Amino acid sequence: MEISGAHVLVVGATGGLGSALARALAADGARLSLSGRDATRLSALADELTASVLSSVSADLVDPSAPARIVDAAVAASPLDVVVFAAGVVAFGAVAELDDDTLDQLLLVNVIAPVRLLRAVAPQLGRGAVVVNLSAVVAETPLPGMAAYAASKAALTAFDRAAGRELRRAGVRVLDVRPPHTETGLASRPVAGISPRLGAGKSPDEVAARIVQALRDDEADLPSDAF
Ligand SMILES: NC(=O)c1ccc[n+]([C@@H]2O[C@H](COP(=O)([O-])OP(=O)(O)OC[C@H]3O[C@@H](n4cnc5c(N)ncnc54)[C@H](OP(=O)(O)O)[C@@H]3O)[C@@H](O)[C@H]2O)c1
């Protein structure tokens, strides 16, 4: 696909991977709609990329109405060609120690929000449009101490596969991306628990560049070993 001129909605644009993707896409000539939870960092990113930004909405994805509001603002600016869901939270710890708030946050942000987002945006997408969802390597290789996080990512990957098959007839591609550990700081701000030693991760710019390449080359899947 042609990135230059495409209108791309990046949800989770305030994050390490979301902001790297927004910058890489803007550098390739994309027009952007941005969303993030932190209004101050979102507005700083929108200012930095101002020549490329069509709309910007700060929203907490725990709110059931947030995904539709984000889509409405982007579509009001211009029809969408690509939607990137790069929001997410992680939690660590033994299953027996998982509390209900942690479970709710993991499933609401990592699974239910992207499902609501695709539900809201699907009727707006034309042939050639792409939906990019950031799952994770743990969907392929679930690790102890991250069971609920891994389950949330496996659920997203399953959703992407089924929704992708459903939308294929309409000419819409769903790209499930399963990056390996990346140095965004995500592991240092879990909603619960403490990160195990993870070793050195990929750079966010490198991971973002690989995702943009997959978009450009019309790739159908982006497993962890593609990075
Ligand atoms: N980093 C890795 O090693 C890695 C590896 C594989 C997959 N992933 C996945 O890639 C995605 C991005 O991760 P990252 O490393 O870029 O993490 P990050 O830097 O912590 O960014 C997370 C993003 O999610 C947003 N977010 C979290 N809770 C939210 C909520 N309730 N409502 C709205 N937005 C919310 C954050 O918004 P604010 O900052 O505005 O609060 C931020 O934009 C996640 O789904 C993650 O699971 C990451």
Side-chain angles (χ1 to χ4, degrees), residues 134-141 149 153 156-157 176-180 224:
L134 264 69
S135 177
V137 60
V138 292
E140 302 167 356
T141 312
Y149 174 67
K153 291 299 178 179
L156 179 59
T157 292
D176 185 73
V177 179
R178 301 182 293 284
S224 58

Side-chain angles (χ1 to χ4, degrees), residues 107-207:
L107 293 175
L108 276 169
V109 179
N110 294 0
V111 186
I112 294 176
V115 172
R116 286 183 173 137
L117 191 78
L118 185 51
R119 181 180 66 186
V121 82
Q124 309 286 342
L125 298 176
R127 295 198 84 75
V130 188
V131 176
V132 180
N133 281 334
L134 264 69
S135 177
V137 60
V138 292
E140 302 167 356
T141 312
L143 295 175
M146 312 185 195
Y149 174 67
S152 75
K153 291 299 178 179
L156 179 59
T157 292
F159 174 74
D160 288 344
R161 288 193 179 140
R165 290 174 67 184
E166 194 177 307
L167 291 171
R168 195 176 302 152
R169 208 175 302 159
V172 174
R173 183 159 52 105
V174 178
L175 182 63
D176 185 73
V177 179
R178 301 182 293 284
H181 173 50
T182 307
E183 299 292 351
T184 60
L186 172 70
S188 67
R189 42 178 176 271
V191 292
I194 297 167
S195 171
R197 281 179 184 277
L198 292 171
K202 300 267 177 200
S203 90
D205 287 344
E206 187 186 348
V207 171

